[in-house]
DNA sequence: CTTGGGTCCTGTGCGC
DNA sequence: TGCGCACAGGACCCAA
């Protein structure tokens, strides 16, 4: 799924199509994604005007005029597409059959008063949606345990050193733990550790201090660069505007098993290991 | 409390 | 060409 840069990119694509406009029709086509849709989902959204779209970690927060928030998590394969009503352009070059009936796995289709249509598609259904009542954000179970936004001042070497104090888990796992810092996923953790020269296997508590002062800027830099590129596009993943992010061409670590390390003056070779069931890519030569 | 592993689901790419 | 397996951007839930 999408990690923070992809979710940010999706938000930026949705805003021009949705903010300030009323949702004229909401079509929920199945009872559940990863979790059941909340009771009254369609009725709560239909007829409401969207006032803003925010992002918190990997969550999309669509603000409605009545104070409710439509929360969306994309899971691994969730995606939004924006198209004109009726015709609904896909942005998926090469195959656009079946548009009148919708693509396979189109689970939620929203029409706006502009005539535009916003479609949520999710093949694996690891994504989910929920409704947060007015003033309910501080107590929302989805958001309450999240760590700081990695691009905010709240995420800094002191804070992160504190957060990983005494943690025996590998630094790779610590960076994926949304309670310590919220928004990173498998790709950008690999990239940040490569940039910081830290092995994904290193025990988290040994990163506190000196190494944290390298790691924190590496995290911020890679996320900033990825957002600027519109995120990473895997397979036919498209952002809300229908355009392709291109940061996958800038990966230095992820999916580069057997390839030469790209760090200047390093003659290492990238390897792949499995940690907690997930692939880690790193250079054993300079990542220690 | 922390930590590791299994699990949900569908699609794709690879080796045979 | 078909088949079976490994693997895929996440994170919850439970056992130890």
């Amino acid at each position: 799924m999408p990690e923070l840069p992809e979710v940010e990119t999706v938000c930026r694509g949705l805003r021009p199509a949705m903010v300030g406009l009323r949702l004229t029709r909401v079509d929920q086509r199945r009872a559940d994604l990863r979790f059941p849709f909340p009771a009254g989902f369609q009725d709560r959204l239909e007829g409401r005007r969207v006032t803003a779209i925010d992002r918190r970690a990997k969550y999309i927060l669509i603000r409605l005029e009545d104070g409710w928030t439509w929360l969306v998590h994309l899971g691994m394969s969730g995606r939004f597409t924006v198209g004109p009503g009726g015709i609904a352009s896909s942005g998926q070059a090469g195959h656009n059959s079946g548009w009148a009936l919708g693509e396979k796995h189109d689970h939620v289709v929203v029409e706006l008063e502009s005539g535009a249509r916003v479609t949520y598609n999710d093949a694996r259904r690891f994504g989910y949606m929920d409704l947060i009542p007015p003033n309910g954000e501080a107590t929302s179970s989805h958001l309450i345990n999240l760590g700081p936004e990695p691009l905010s001042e709240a995420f800094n070497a002191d804070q992160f050193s504190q957060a990983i104090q005494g943690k025996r888990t590998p630094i790779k796992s610590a960076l994926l733990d949304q309670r310590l810092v919220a928004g990173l996923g498998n790709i950008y953790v690999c990239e940040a550790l490569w940039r910081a020269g830290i092995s994904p296997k290193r025990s988290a508590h040994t990163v506190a201090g000196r190494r944290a002062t390298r790691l924190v800027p590496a995290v911020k830099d890679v996320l900033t660069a990825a957002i600027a590129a519109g995120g990473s596009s895997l397979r036919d993943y498209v952002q809300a505007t229908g355009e392709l992010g291109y940061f996958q061409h800038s990966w230095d670590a992820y999916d580069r098993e057997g390839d030469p390390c790209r760090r200047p003056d390093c003659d290492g070779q990238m390897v792949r290991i499995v940690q907690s069931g997930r692939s880690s890519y790193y250079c054993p030569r300079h990542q220690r």
Side-chain angles (χ1 to χ4, degrees):
Chain A
M1 180 333 33
E3 307 179 35
L4 187 153
E6 290 75 37
V7 177
E8 176 62 29
T9 300
V10 169
C11 286
R12 292 179 183 189
L14 290 176
R15 280 183 196 119
M18 297 183 80
V19 174
L21 298 175
R22 209 173 283 285
L23 310 176
T24 48
R25 202 169 63 85
V26 176
D27 186 11
Q28 174 199 327
R29 298 183 173 175
R30 53 176 299 131
D32 57 81
L33 295 172
R34 175 167 189 183
F35 306 118
F37 281 87
F41 177 74
Q42 293 182 93
D43 292 342
R44 177 57 64 190
L45 300 184
E46 220 165 75
R48 301 280 108 69
R49 191 181 299 277
V50 174
T51 57
I53 297 179
D54 299 321
R55 179 190 58 73
R56 172 72 173 104
K58 301 174 195 172
Y59 292 91
I60 300 168
L61 303 171
I62 302 173
R63 313 294 189 181
L64 305 172
E65 61 186 341
D66 60 359
W68 284 71
T69 296
W70 172 13
L71 174 147
V72 182
H73 194 293
L74 302 175
M76 290 280 255
S77 56
R79 59 203 62 183
F80 274 108
T81 49
V82 178
I87 303 149
S89 77
S90 72
Q92 298 184 26
H95 65 96
N96 41 15
S97 58
W99 264 108
L101 299 169
E103 293 285 312
K104 203 174 177 186
H105 308 303
D106 282 354
H107 304 310
V108 178
V109 180
V110 173
E111 265 181 27
L112 293 112
E113 58 183 329
S114 61
R117 178 181 293 192
V118 172
T119 303
Y120 178 79
N121 180 290
D122 189 351
R124 295 178 73 181
R125 299 203 306 275
F126 287 171
Y128 52 94
M129 299 189 183
D130 204 355
L131 295 169
I132 304 176
N135 306 311
E137 199 162 316
T139 53
S140 165
S141 60
H142 302 109
L143 309 177
I144 195 165
N145 289 318
L146 292 176
E149 279 291 314
L151 290 176
S152 75
E153 289 292 327
F155 178 61
N156 58 61
D158 284 343
Q159 176 276 146
F160 190 62
S161 292
Q162 187 79 9
I164 56 181
Q165 194 82 29
K167 295 229 172 283
R168 301 279 151 183
T169 194
I171 186 63
K172 164 83 184 294
S173 305
L175 288 168
L176 287 173
D177 185 340
Q178 305 294 299
R179 295 167 302 184
L180 304 183
V181 56
L184 296 175
N186 206 34
I187 291 176
Y188 297 106
V189 163
C190 290
E191 295 299 315
L193 288 169
W194 181 87
R195 290 180 179 219
I198 297 169
S199 167
K201 293 191 290 189
R202 171 173 284 281
S203 189
H205 72 281
T206 70
V207 174
R210 259 186 133 63
R211 291 185 180 88
T213 65
R214 294 209 311 271
L215 181 54
V216 166
V219 167
K220 291 176 186 279
D221 289 351
V222 74
L223 292 179
T224 301
I227 290 170
S232 301
S233 303
L234 278 76
R235 298 199 177 84
D236 64 345
Y237 169 78
V238 284
Q239 47 181 273
T241 57
E243 287 162 26
L244 294 168
Y246 53 86
F247 194 74
Q248 68 277 15
H249 302 301
S250 299
W251 291 343
D252 291 311
Y254 189 80
D255 204 25
R256 295 198 64 242
E257 180 180 18
D259 293 343
C261 179
R262 285 199 174 132
R263 175 188 251 220
D265 305 324
C266 181
D267 61 355
Q269 188 180 39
M270 303 302 295
V271 302
R272 172 182 175 272
I273 62 171
V274 175
Q275 295 178 286
S276 312
R278 315 202 57 194
S279 293
S280 296
Y281 300 87
Y282 75 108
C283 169
R285 186 72 166 217
H286 86 269
Q287 288 180 255
R288 297 289 178 169

